Amino acid sequence: MLLFAFLYNKDTTNILIIYFSRYSQIKKICLCFIFYRERSMKRPICGTQFAKWVNNPCSRNKAKMEKDKEQTVYIINQGDGMDSVQVWQAYAMCALSIMLMLAIRSVVTKFGKPKTLKDGVSFWKWRNILISWIHAVIVGTWDFLCLWWYPDLFQDPVFYINNVMYLMVPFSIGYFLYDLYDMMTNEQKLIDWEIVLHHVLLSTVMIYSWTNKLCIAYSVILLTSEINSIFLHLRKLLQFTKVNFNSWLYQLVAMLNLFTFITCRLFPQSRLMFGFYTDGHRISKSYFILLLLTYPIGFVINIVLFWRILKSDVLRRLKGNDKLLNKME
């Protein structure tokens, strides 16, 4: 049974779509409500009230209606909708991303090791970080534009979707899969185990996400970490070269790295963790468990990475200054 109802109010513009489903039945009732523009956290008209208007017999069983109310899924803003994207395009974009990374690797390998590299720095490590930086520039810019063009994604991170956001996710996964291949073929999987774990966890969740067309906006929020990766990898590239660590260039990149690490990596991931509480009931239990098993691990990995960077670029420098002052005294 499919019912549509439109409640008109001259002061309203936003549309709230509610998929009102019951686990024991195949029936789905689609309730469409128009509610006030000035709403912030105001609750819309609940499914129970509307069911009383549409189907009076349902109102006789209050326990039944309360159970239905708990199983209601609210779709506040779905963007262009799930029908606007195709799963095969995501897999094609993932394959294209892998081929692009392989092509970049071939070009970099052809040019060879630059003369500015320090002695002892392996060509593979430099090439790997360089390709990671190129990916970060592409996806970081792409992600920033998504946040700039589609601010409504924050209204409904579970169901908001469009093609621009959707295709960015498999493009990033293509890089993660390439990077896994690159590390395994160069026997780095044990040395950089935290990166391998990060890539495996993130790829698993995002492949599930794009296949089911869910939580794409949450993926966009999560991928703001690539904005930080621009400075994170650039800092590493400068360390590989003969740039002085006390130079203004390195210090600028180091400070931007710390700032964006907090604002573009830790803060968005904290918002994602908060989403477990606010939106956990709107996705399947299996997907919720998968997220619960993966993202907290990634968050801990990033906390450890942040501490390493803070100790290297700030605390060690402060400690060195204290020793210098003691000598001067």
Side-chain angles (χ1 to χ4, degrees):
M1 181 175 62
L2 184 63
L3 301 176
F4 293 93
F6 298 92
L7 306 180
Y8 175 77
N9 187 299
K10 64 181 180 180
D11 297 326
T12 63
T13 55
N14 296 320
I15 296 178
L16 172 64
I17 302 175
I18 302 177
Y19 286 102
F20 188 58
S21 61
R22 300 184 57 184
Y23 297 141
S24 59
Q25 299 181 7
I26 305 178
K27 297 180 181 179
K28 287 187 178 180
I29 303 175
C30 179
L31 310 179
C32 302
F33 291 103
I34 302 180
F35 59 105
Y36 295 106
R37 181 193 308 174
E38 60 268 21
R39 63 160 179 82
S40 54
M41 296 299 293
K42 295 180 181 178
R43 291 179 60 82
I45 302 173
C46 68
T48 303
Q49 290 175 321
F50 183 75
K52 290 180 180 178
W53 301 335
V54 176
N55 194 358
N56 288 327
C58 290
S59 62
R60 298 173 186 173
N61 191 340
K62 294 183 179 180
K64 182 180 179 182
M65 293 307 302
E66 287 300 322
K67 184 179 179 181
D68 287 343
K69 182 179 177 182
E70 292 178 358
Q71 296 173 358
T72 301
V73 177
Y74 295 85
I75 304 181
I76 298 175
N77 191 337
Q78 61 177 345
D80 295 340
M82 292 184 180
D83 294 338
S84 66
V85 299
Q86 302 296 327
V87 175
W88 70 266
Q89 294 178 347
Y91 284 99
M93 177 60 77
C94 182
L96 181 64
S97 176
I98 294 173
M99 290 188 290
L100 177 62
M101 299 304 159
L102 290 171
I104 294 174
R105 186 178 74 163
S106 298
V107 172
V108 174
T109 303
K110 184 177 180 180
F111 279 95
K113 187 176 181 179
K115 297 179 180 180
T116 55
L117 283 186
K118 293 180 179 178
D119 296 334
V121 176
S122 68
F123 174 69
W124 173 85
K125 189 66 176 177
W126 174 82
R127 185 186 64 188
N128 180 269
I129 298 298
L130 178 63
I131 295 175
S132 298
W133 178 77
I134 293 173
H135 164 261
V137 170
I138 296 173
V139 176
T141 305
W142 194 340
D143 190 88
F144 176 80
L145 291 176
C146 286
L147 296 173
W148 180 269
W149 291 339
Y150 312 112
D152 290 345
L153 66 88
F154 292 100
Q155 294 181 2
D156 194 344
V158 176
F159 293 103
Y160 192 95
I161 191 170
N162 61 50
N163 240 343
V164 177
M165 293 165 44
Y166 182 69
L167 293 179
M168 182 180 64
V169 176
F171 183 87
S172 290
I173 298 304
Y175 159 74
F176 294 143
L177 296 177
Y178 156 78
D179 202 36
L180 281 173
Y181 164 78
D182 193 36
M183 286 188 288
M184 290 181 178
T185 54
N186 288 276
E187 300 181 354
Q188 296 290 320
K189 54 184 177 295
L190 295 179
I191 298 175
D192 299 324
W193 64 269
E194 68 275 10
I195 299 177
V196 173
L197 181 61
H198 171 271
H199 287 357
V200 170
L201 294 177
L202 202 60
S203 298
T204 303
V205 172
M206 287 192 171
I207 289 174
Y208 186 98
S209 179
W210 91 51
T211 303
N212 293 276
K213 303 178 183 179
L214 286 175
C215 297
I216 298 301
Y218 269 125
S219 298
V220 172
I221 294 172
L222 184 66
L223 285 172
T224 54
S225 60
E226 293 304 319
I227 298 175
N228 166 249
S229 294
I230 296 174
F231 303 103
L232 181 66
H233 297 317
L234 183 57
R235 168 184 172 273
K236 199 67 177 178
L237 289 173
L238 290 176
Q239 290 178 350
F240 288 163
T241 61
K242 298 176 182 178
V243 175
N244 192 327
F245 289 175
N246 293 321
S247 66
W248 68 268
L249 177 60
Y250 183 85
Q251 292 300 318
L252 176 63
V253 171
M255 291 301 104
L256 288 174
N257 177 45
L258 287 171
F259 175 74
T260 56
F261 204 108
I262 297 172
T263 57
C264 298
R265 188 178 292 268
L266 295 181
F267 181 73
Q269 288 188 355
S270 300
R271 172 62 182 88
L272 192 80
M273 301 285 283
F274 181 68
F276 290 156
Y277 172 74
T278 58
D279 294 322
H281 64 285
R282 306 175 69 202
I283 58 178
S284 65
K285 289 184 178 180
S286 59
Y287 187 34
F288 180 76
I289 292 173
L290 178 63
L291 294 174
L292 205 59
L293 292 174
T294 53
Y295 281 130
I297 297 174
F299 186 74
V300 171
I301 291 174
N302 280 294
I303 290 292
V304 173
L305 178 60
F306 179 73
W307 171 247
R308 289 178 182 175
I309 295 172
L310 184 66
K311 186 169 62 174
S312 174
D313 290 346
V314 178
L315 299 182
R316 187 177 299 171
R317 183 179 177 84
L318 292 176
K319 188 176 180 180
N321 290 338
D322 290 340
K323 289 182 179 180
L324 181 62
L325 289 174
N326 292 334
K327 289 181 179 180
M328 293 175 65
E329 291 175 357

